[in-house]
Amino acid sequence: MGFMTLLTAGLAHGGLYALVALGLVLIYKTQGIVNWAHGELLMVGAFSGYTAFVLVGLPYPLAFLIAVLAGALLGAVMERVAFRGIVHEHHATLALVAIGFSVIIKGLARIPFGADVYTLPPAVDAGPLRFAGAIVTAQSVLTITISVGIALMLLAIFRYTRTGRQMQATQQNLNGARIVGVNTGRIFSITWALAAAVGAVAGLLAGPTSLLYPDMGSEFLLKGFAAAVLGGFYSVTGAIVGGLLVGVIEMLIGGYISTAFQQVSPFLIIIIVLFVRPHGLFGRRPVERV
Amino acid sequence: MDRTAIMKKPLIYGGLAAALLAVPLLTNGYTQYVVNLVTVYVVLGVGLNILLGYAGQFAFANAAFMGIGAYITAILSSQLGLPFWVCIPAAGVVTALIGTACAVPAMRMASIYLALVTFAFAELMVWVFINWKGVTNGSNGIGVSAPDLFGYVFRGDQRLYYLLLPCCLTMLWLASRILKSYIGRSFVIIRESEIVARCNGIDVSRTKMIAFGLSAFFGGVGGALFAYTVGLVLPQSFGLFQLVIHIAIVVLGGMASLAGAIIGALLLTTLPEFLRDFQSLQEVMFGTALVIVAIFMPRGIAGALTRFGILPREMLVRGIVRERRPVATPGRDQDLEPIGVGVTHD
Amino acid sequence: MLKVEGISVGYGAIEVLRDLSFTVPKGKVVALLGGNGAGKTTTMNAIAGLIPLRGGEIYMNGERITRQASHKVFAAGISLVAQSRELFPEMTVRQNLELGVLAQTGVSDVVARVEEIYEMFPRLRERAFNRAASLSGGEQQMLATGRALMARPKLLLLDEPTTGLAPIIVSELQKIIRAVNERGYTVLLVEQNTKMALEVADHVYVLRRGGIALSKPRSEIVDTQEIFDAYLS
């Protein structure tokens, strides 16, 4: 495979990782929670889309909408039912609750879908395109476009909408937000719904390239972590750039070194970044205060 | 002092020892296997609790430590034919050295970053176990020969129990001694505030290294015992699920509590065995249990029992017991914002 | 306007406020004085709905705001200026001010309100596009006060505004509080700086060990020794 082909394929995968990382970063910025169940939100998105599109036979845009809503609802419910009450507890307790949800969701998915593997047909049915010496699938183009589009949309929401600015305020200073009358509970729900919806979109877009099975989420979670760490874990822009970079690095390692190393590239990225530049590419160096 | 109290103590311990020794009389092969696993997980749970519960370091590497210990045992015992009394300490010591090296990132980063980097390390180790075929035999794993002492072979789960039980009790005794010493109290102070620790002349870096090394030592020994218990060391055994079990033992049992580690190990080894027959339903119930206990008993079962006065409070340092504050606390990771300290109480 | 009836607040086994009652009449500046640990900030946070009450009731203009979420208390017309200021560090001064009113719906004169704050605190206009994190202590206090005033609250809660400020700024702050009061805002001021509080207050309460130790109109206080006696009694 040529360099350009690897690069575009990497960007397409990276777009998905960016979406996962976006959700992780949003939740972390708002409540300081690392959502270890984020991969499962992606899986729920993929399977909801599969059910609506393949099993029920709804048109793709409608299936897309259903998947996004299913993900958003699940995310908001998880926050409301579990996390809101224990947000001040130890990170380990929060991690355990998230992992608990991840196990529950996977178990529930296994009841109808079992141990089989499913495929979601691509959203656009077109042959591969040739572009600057690279062979690009239409799905790749769609994935990159939607990922970047969603990222820009989120940035616009933060900057220009009332709710978006309240979300930012809540992220920067929870008590400050409460003092100026922000309904922080509502902001938490919206944050999770948004993060989960973005994850569900990633699941739908991943459908055609990666297979659908109840455990599919963990791989995306890892790469989402790598992307978020690379981007600094606090930055929306960082998450996007981090995601794209992780995708490209992974493809280049797979193409030029070996596929065995490709598997561990996200771990190596996490370890190297945290050793060399713990605040990531876009994070600010943390200040220790007495 | 009350005379009956002096009389009572050895009586209780003696009774307990007799009961523990008599366990194999009541079990069949399978239930004994589960009991053996419990002893293994007590050691592993104590190991993680030292790091997570006492020293407050949120590290995810314990499944990797366990794996390293298990592989060392497997290689030394089956390929070099070394006896268990060499293999188990060797597994502990080598793992402790690796664990100490893992403390290096802990000096620079806090909370979730440490969790992520150790998590990545753990997954990397699984990859090494799979891909370093010359040493680990890849996905086929390595068999472990039954340990023997002066010709007595601990073959079969019932006999093996008499090797595991003393090991487990020794490790528990060791942990309680260490945690009540100066070093154990230093762990707790570092957990509460590194700044306070520094102000009190505690070498934070050195103490963190000791905490990691100690935790890894328990992990390595636990891994060695695990290797003897299951008889076959496979790379997949030390993945994410293993990690979840360890964290669940500590958090559900009770953080910063040795009794908690024992309760957690008992629960998390036996419960999944009961639910064995329903794959997906088992997952759903296991997950639900994790979520519910963590929400309603954030201090774990030992914490809840202590609150109702059933378990005595484990005291390392007086006055360190933390109460949950009913306060509007801003996010934990507020170290990034240069202004605003949150609600202050006057 | 504000009526606090027998409230109790505690953290764990410690009871900070015990059966505390007082009122703040409309259009007045009421000062709540007291030493460290008297429960002043706790009182403010309890009124603002930031911490749960163990008992008692709080009424705002006859409306019960006990056990309401903080955004409901805000909607009832109470704005807190916290001792720790609680600004949004990554936002500019202007954005901080705008957020003061963002949670209210149907406000169309945000620009005019910002302008009004700038009139009151010219320093903030100069620093309008600087990040809040880069402000000095005095500027942060101005911004926190300005942000609270953006909502045009019926009652302004000022929690130890003089904390960490240079004496020259303290006298500036006195003028600001008076000016704010003259514009019709009711103010509940919590202070350790007795002298400053006596300059601006119409009525003085002294809080000691979570209860009221002294309650007197300013005009009846002739000797500040009386206040200190109440602190220590």
Side-chain angles (χ1 to χ4, degrees), chain A residues 40-59:
Chain A
E40 278 57 54
L41 294 173
L42 177 138
M43 181 268 286
V44 167
F47 271 106
S48 312
Y50 177 83
T51 310
F53 185 56
V54 178
L55 298 182
V56 183
L58 296 173

Side-chain angles (χ1 to χ4, degrees), chain B residues 31-146:
Chain B
T31 48
Q32 185 60 47
Y33 170 72
V34 176
V35 171
N36 289 356
L37 275 183
V38 173
T39 62
V40 173
Y41 276 99
V42 166
V43 176
L44 291 166
V46 167
L48 183 58
N49 216 341
I50 289 174
L51 194 59
L52 181 62
Y54 289 92
Q57 303 297 304
F58 190 24
F60 266 28
N62 257 59
F65 295 153
M66 174 189 178
I68 294 168
Y71 269 102
I72 289 171
T73 308
I75 292 163
L76 291 185
S77 75
S78 64
Q79 278 162 22
L80 301 178
L82 292 173
F84 75 87
W85 44 268
V86 174
C87 292
I88 296 175
V93 169
V94 174
T95 317
L97 290 177
I98 296 171
T100 313
C102 281
V104 176
M107 293 169 197
R108 296 185 52 196
M109 56 188 88
S111 61
I112 65 132
Y113 289 102
L114 181 62
L116 287 175
V117 80
T118 48
F119 170 67
F121 168 74
E123 293 288 316
L124 203 62
M125 282 317 295
V126 174
W127 180 80
V128 169
F129 296 151
I130 295 174
N131 286 282
W132 198 10
K133 294 200 172 72
V135 175
T136 63
N137 199 21
S139 308
N140 297 326
I142 312 177
V144 186
S145 36

